[in-house]
Amino acid sequence: MAKKSTKKKHSGSSMDDLWEWFGTFLTGERVHFLAGLILCFLVVYTGIASLSFFFTGGADQSAVENIPVRDLLAGNRQVSNWAGIRGAYIADLLMNRWFGIPSFFILFYVGSLGVKWMGICRLSLLKRFLLCTAMLLWSSLFLSFVFMRSCQDSFLFLGGQQGFYLSEMLIRNFGKPGVILLLMVSFLIIAICLSTKVIPALQKAFSFTWLEECKLPMPKLKWPKPAGTKRHERETDDEEEGEEEPLPPPPANRPFAPSGSDDDVVFIVTRPEGDGEPYGTSGDVRPPVQPAAASRPPHPLLPDNDDDPYNESALGEYNPRLDLSNYQFPSLDLLKIYDQTQAFNPEEQNDNKKRIKQTLEEFGIHIASISATVGPTLTLYEVVPAVGIAIRKIKNLEDDIAMRLAALGIRIIAPIPGKGTIGIEVPNKDAQTVSMRPLLASRKFNESKFDLPIALGRTITNDVFMFDLCKAPHLLMAGATGQGKSVGLNAVITSLLYKKHPAEMKLVLVDPKMVEFSIYSKIERHYLAKLPDEEKAIITDCDRVINTLNSLCKEMDDRYELLTKAHVRNVKEYNEKFVNRRLNPEKGHRYMPYIVVVIDEFGDLIMQAGKEIEMPIARIAQKARAIGIHMIIATQRPSTSILTGNIKANFPTRVAFRVSQMVDSRTILDQPGANKLIGRGDLLFSGGSIDMTRVQCAFVDTPEVESIASFIGQQPGYKSAYELPECLPAEAGDGAANGMDLSDRDPMFEEAARLIVVQQQGSTSLIQRKFSIGYNRAGRLMDQLERAGIVGPAEGSKAREVLIPDQYTLDIKLSTLK
């Protein structure tokens, strides 16, 4: 009996394996590719037969009309069609009996289906089906209605017999005018569904704005004559004092234009603060920049309240892009397409399923089902455990499953959020490189409504992964050296360059390594921001970083003052008001571009400057979200001394690349997981919640970034980079610096100074050992020695430079301090 039961069990298991293999075979990539290839072959064959019908249809009509099926299969009749008797029959079916020439829409849809099955491109079959169906019916009716009489004596019905009968029925019921109106309305409906630009075009066409502009009444106002200004003097002496002059209409993008003759007009140009004039072609005539509001007399059209519109109907909306109206966004051709073959191997997938199932059963864990989702670099196996199985049992078998699969490292998600399954992520043997170009060409990216969209890579389901930096609102990126952090920063910057106009976004790039961001120096006059007195826009020096961060704090405070005056809560509402001419530029209002601060090697800056770097960053991260300043910091040292609690609390959105230890993963994400990644752009994204998304970062190579930067840099740009407000550093000198008064020196100050000069070594530990004092007091002594000009500034882990060569010079220095 036992043997019989065993045989039945094995027989049932074999049938299950057979059905599983058959199901996997039908859903495999090879079957889809072959089916798509066959469909494309049939479309090409039918297309050839249909084209031949225009030349041979008349001769073949008698041969294919009412042909019996047996003759069609036997092929006894002779035809002239290029595709033979079967092609002639199919062409006659499509072109005559069905929908005529619009039948090519059927071939177009079937061909699209075949192309998608082959994996050549991604497209929405439902939208394409609705489009082809609508155009098929409308075109058939249109051709039949227009060419109804000419087709009666011809072998070819341009709209097919179906369109001919439909046209006759509609004419009998609605008449020819009714059919014409029906065709027009249905065409507009199809066009509106296809494009979002149709409705604005129709609104403009039916609004007759050109007629309204011709009849626009011009108010007559007298412009006060500024004293001592020849520009506003009258050219004739016989004009009366009370004579009034009409106000000429200003250009569309000028916030305000005073009255007077053409020679008297002074246009005021409003632009983001610090932006120079567009630089480019010779003979570019630009109006003068707006002077200070205090030196200009009040204008009767401008209201005292900032919220009131001023001559809004005459001016129209302000367009910040007009300063660089000829700017062209980078082309997708500048980006490469890497290996797009799907990393799918049915044999590998089935083998991994069996091994996972066997491993769990060896430990007494039975599963109800297991399914797989293939991603670019790894496969997610979703396991449904049997009733009564504790999740922690599977979680504890992570290393055993990794050993059985011989995988580089697996990660178990127990359970998967929102599902009743347990996920086991296993790396693919042949990983796929995710290209940036398909991400930026995707409909998800192009139709995104995000203010600062960032396409980071692809998820495990091969979907484009995007997030909005404005909602983030700041990003922390960390990982070990060589795991894809620099490529991730390039992907972030590339996404912004392909989406935002130079007038809408500025970048502040901090690069202590001096080699990562130097490639972006070509776009200085378009996208970069810097201090007024800086030569280079790419910031590499620690002191310049401190000054820039303090300048950004001042910019933040200035923007908040403008938001308060405008009675709005954020920069988006403010810019919307400014664009609609509801804010007066003569009262200091201006268009505010987004500012994205990207800091690479944040850990190196903290080691050099410490609190001087951390405090302004924390202040910006706490307050700058509402006024459009967003920060991205990256580090390869994810330790608690670098990523302090103050930093982590203000950077809720985090990206973790592979790290070597679990403690580093907890430092970045507050939970393990980053230590289980496989590297080469494999990352975990945390949006501020406990749920994490595993993403394969898009690869953007250095030559691609060079091409993008060169393409942008060759175009006309602003005269200089966007200038940040000037922020004066704290005064330094022998007497006081940074709040330290040398008159209140440590009692050991002179002894410490003599020790340092004798030893010619500016070391805090040397003072600590020689005088047997604590590290804090030794550090304060070293700070006092630096303020007194005896030692130089800190140089990381190196000893400070001793600036006094001998004791005689030291005595003179100490005498000046007493």
Side-chain angles (χ1 to χ4, degrees), residues 462-493:
N462 264 311
D463 295 328
V464 176
F465 181 81
M466 290 179 55
F467 70 96
D468 188 0
L469 184 60
C470 284
K471 296 180 180 179
H474 310 288
L475 175 65
L476 169 62
M477 187 178 294
T481 305
Q483 302 304 319
K485 185 171 66 337
S486 298
V487 175
L489 290 176
N490 285 334
V492 169
I493 297 175

Side-chain angles (χ1 to χ4, degrees), residues 476 643-652 654 666-668 670:
L476 169 62
L643 303 179
T644 62
N646 197 19
I647 292 294
K648 292 174 61 177
N650 295 291
F651 285 79
R654 303 169 193 172
R666 291 187 180 275
T667 302
I668 306 170
D670 296 326

Side-chain angles (χ1 to χ4, degrees), residues 140-148 160-176 179 183:
S140 177
L141 177 60
F142 175 78
L143 293 175
S144 299
F145 177 75
V146 174
F147 301 99
M148 177 175 291
Q161 293 183 5
Q162 301 296 329
F164 182 80
Y165 297 146
L166 179 61
S167 177
E168 282 190 331
M169 181 192 70
L170 291 175
I171 291 175
R172 286 196 304 268
N173 287 273
F174 303 103
K176 290 186 177 181
V179 176
L183 287 171

